[in-house]
Amino acid sequence: MSDEYGICPYNKQHRILLFRMPGHIVKCVRNYRGPPLAVCKYNATHRLPAERMDQHLEECVDYKKFHGYKNTQIALQARKSPPRA
Ligand SMILES: [Zn+2]
Ligand SMILES: [Zn+2]
């Protein structure tokens, strides 16, 4: 199991094991009193102000994984069925 830590989006003082982050966020958000944070479409533990989401997606590893995978699938399908009939 990975022992990588991430910073809790609701409290920068919280260093949480990444695999515990989803459960932590559920608890931590109940005590959160700041402005609402938008949730990254590609990883529910990525939360940040909506106006910073575009910037986040440029560096989001899960966004890159998702699109890398999708591009691979499209490439495979294209090979299976060539455009010329
Ligand atoms: Zn927290
Ligand atoms: Zn993300």
Side-chain angles (χ1 to χ4, degrees):
M1 201 62 199
S2 165
D3 61 351
E4 276 184 276
Y5 284 83
I7 304 295
C8 171
Y10 294 106
N11 188 330
K12 301 254 186 295
Q13 320 265 313
H14 297 167
R15 283 182 80 238
I16 310 299
L17 281 165
L18 284 183
F19 74 90
R20 291 206 180 128
M21 189 67 90
H24 173 85
I25 280 179
V26 169
K27 283 184 234 157
C28 202
V29 70
R30 289 193 202 132
N31 304 315
Y32 179 70
R33 294 289 175 268
L37 298 183
V39 181
C40 173
K41 267 186 276 185
Y42 302 96
N43 185 326
T45 71
H46 298 166
R47 304 195 179 200
L48 61 155
E51 67 269 19
R52 278 174 44 210
M53 188 57 80
D54 285 348
Q55 190 198 329
H56 167 75
L57 289 180
E58 282 174 25
E59 57 203 36
C60 175
V61 288
D62 294 287
Y63 173 88
K64 283 175 190 160
K65 265 190 243 164
F66 179 84
H67 284 276
Y69 176 75
K70 207 170 125 191
N71 291 343
T72 309
Q73 290 302 100
I74 288 165
L76 288 174
Q77 273 174 16
R79 211 177 297 162
K80 234 184 274 170
S81 51
R84 291 188 291 147

